Amino acid sequence: MPVKVLFVCLGNICRSPTAEGVFQKLVDDSGLSKRIEIDSAGTANWHQGRAPDPRTVAAAKRRNIDLSVLRARAVKASDFHEFDYVLAMDKNNLADLQDLKPADYTGHLGLFLAFGHQTQYLEVPDPYHGGSDGFELVLDLVEDAAAGLLESIQKNKLS
Ligand code: 4NP
């Protein structure tokens, strides 16, 4: 059975698709694409069915990651039956997920950046209403946490 990871933000058009794409590339490059499955979702359904924000797609493309094929969806309670890790981009997302989480969930629900090596940020700042710097910061934070997450999964689930 593959380990399944779900990244969650608010709209599923900026932060969590970035996490999905960055982590997918890392997993692919590590030869683990059959052992780790990845998806993303939003706590809101506002952008359901849409591609990621063009600024998010452009920023990721500069780092050789193609997010244009992804489509937004809302997180649902049944996701907890499927995913071993449900990772929130910020504390608001985490609170919403804790409300949705079935009482019998035995997987890991927490903040994605808790897996990071950097200690300055525990949340991925929402870049939606800001300038282009925000999208670069999202990528920097997500790349750092993705590396830590892969190390943790390899140590605790795949060894
Ligand atoms: P995300 O960013 O949660 O990282 O996808 C946002 C996207 C859209 C909105 C807010 C945040 N919005 O207000 O529509």
Side-chain angles (χ1 to χ4, degrees), residues 49-148:
R50 294 203 195 123
D53 186 288
R55 299 166 295 174
T56 294
V57 175
K61 195 173 173 193
R62 290 195 287 274
R63 301 192 194 193
N64 284 319
I65 294 165
D66 179 17
L67 303 182
S68 66
V69 294
L70 302 180
R71 294 294 176 266
R73 72 169 180 92
V75 68
K76 49 192 192 293
S78 62
D79 284 322
F80 285 97
H81 297 305
E82 199 180 326
F83 289 94
D84 305 289
Y85 290 80
V86 178
L87 300 174
M89 297 299 127
D90 67 31
K91 291 175 185 172
N92 286 328
N93 310 147
L94 182 58
D96 288 340
L97 290 166
Q98 274 158 347
D99 288 343
L100 193 66
K101 177 176 75 114
D104 62 352
Y105 183 59
T106 56
H108 179 102
L109 170 61
L111 289 171
F112 178 38
L113 294 195
F115 288 95
H117 302 103
Q118 62 80 28
T119 52
Q120 197 184 346
Y121 291 85
L122 202 51
E123 304 179 279
V124 185
D126 185 346
Y128 189 68
H129 298 287
S132 60
D133 286 3
F135 293 86
E136 297 302 323
L137 177 61
V138 168
L139 277 158
D140 291 343
L141 293 172
V142 162
E143 284 179 348
D144 176 59

Side-chain angles (χ1 to χ4, degrees), residues 9-15 46-47 126 128-129:
C9 62
L10 176 60
N12 194 210
I13 57 167
C14 296
R15 294 165 293 173
W46 308 321
H47 302 280
D126 185 346
Y128 189 68
H129 298 287

Side-chain angles (χ1 to χ4, degrees), residues 2-3 23-38 150 158:
V3 177
F23 193 55
Q24 186 69 63
K25 183 166 193 294
L26 191 59
V27 164
D28 290 348
D29 290 350
S30 305
L32 292 169
S33 52
K34 290 204 168 61
R35 302 195 67 189
I36 303 176
E37 289 184 13
I38 307 157
L150 185 59
L158 299 180

